[in-house]
Amino acid sequence: CRESCALAVLLGAKNIVFHSSCFPFLRGGYLESWVDTCAEFYMGLAEQYQTHIYIENSPDLDPQPIRELMRRIPDERIGVCLDFGHANYSRVPIQGWFDALGDRIGYLHLSDNNGAFDDHLPIGEGKLDWEEADRLWRGIGKDIPLTLEVGGIEGVERSLRYLKERRYFGME
């Protein structure tokens, strides 16, 4: 993580995304320890490198670990990167992710899948409800970065075409 931050600063990147890496089947004391350790670590990175850090929902099955982490971190330079594809195969509908994390979502990853695996399909080629995703994004009410994670140039072109045809995510 420190090497990633140092490289990001060197390259002039404004945002860094890290996977949460919280083992999804443990709660209680483990989760509390994970929250305390990660909160201290990420706040230290944000301070040392003067950058924005976003914690992505991976491999999370529900928003609880990241919600607890965000409750522990008052630093506005640290927020959530919501990966729609990861949310689509979790145990919680996408609306639930926005309900739990909405005010801290500051970055989005877009890809599609069939609800079981992280397929990184082009947008519109899986089972994700992109109309609902767009509605939820609009509800955030702020301009945030989006990254297409769709497996190459051809996937990006198909995804952009799909989004533009429907005017989703401010694509015109």
Side-chain angles (χ1 to χ4, degrees), residues 18-72:
F18 293 118
H19 287 171
S20 72
S21 300
C22 182
F23 187 67
F25 298 104
L26 296 177
R27 295 294 195 256
Y30 169 83
L31 182 58
E32 292 171 20
S33 176
W34 178 85
V35 166
D36 289 343
T37 300
C38 288
E40 182 178 332
F41 181 70
Y42 291 129
M43 286 190 295
L45 287 179
E47 182 62 33
Q48 180 179 354
Y49 295 98
Q50 293 299 303
T51 190
H52 288 91
I53 295 173
Y54 295 96
I55 310 304
E56 180 180 344
N57 55 315
S58 177
D60 307 277
L61 298 177
D62 64 70
Q64 183 185 0
I66 296 176
R67 183 183 65 227
E68 296 303 321
L69 179 60
M70 291 301 115
R71 284 183 179 162
R72 175 78 167 72

Side-chain angles (χ1 to χ4, degrees), residues 76-138:
E76 292 184 14
R77 292 176 296 187
I78 302 170
V80 174
C81 171
L82 184 69
D83 186 306
F84 280 98
H86 296 169
N88 194 47
Y89 64 74
S90 75
R91 295 178 177 168
V92 175
I94 291 175
Q95 175 73 54
W97 288 87
F98 275 81
D99 291 345
L101 305 171
D103 62 329
R104 295 298 293 269
I105 296 172
Y107 204 106
L108 295 174
H109 282 175
L110 308 180
S111 68
D112 214 335
N113 62 54
N114 290 311
F117 299 103
D118 195 13
D119 301 312
H120 288 248
L121 298 174
I123 307 304
E125 296 185 15
K127 294 184 178 178
L128 206 142
D129 182 346
W130 289 102
E131 183 176 353
E132 178 186 27
D134 178 69
R135 180 184 59 77
L136 293 167
W137 168 77
R138 290 179 190 279

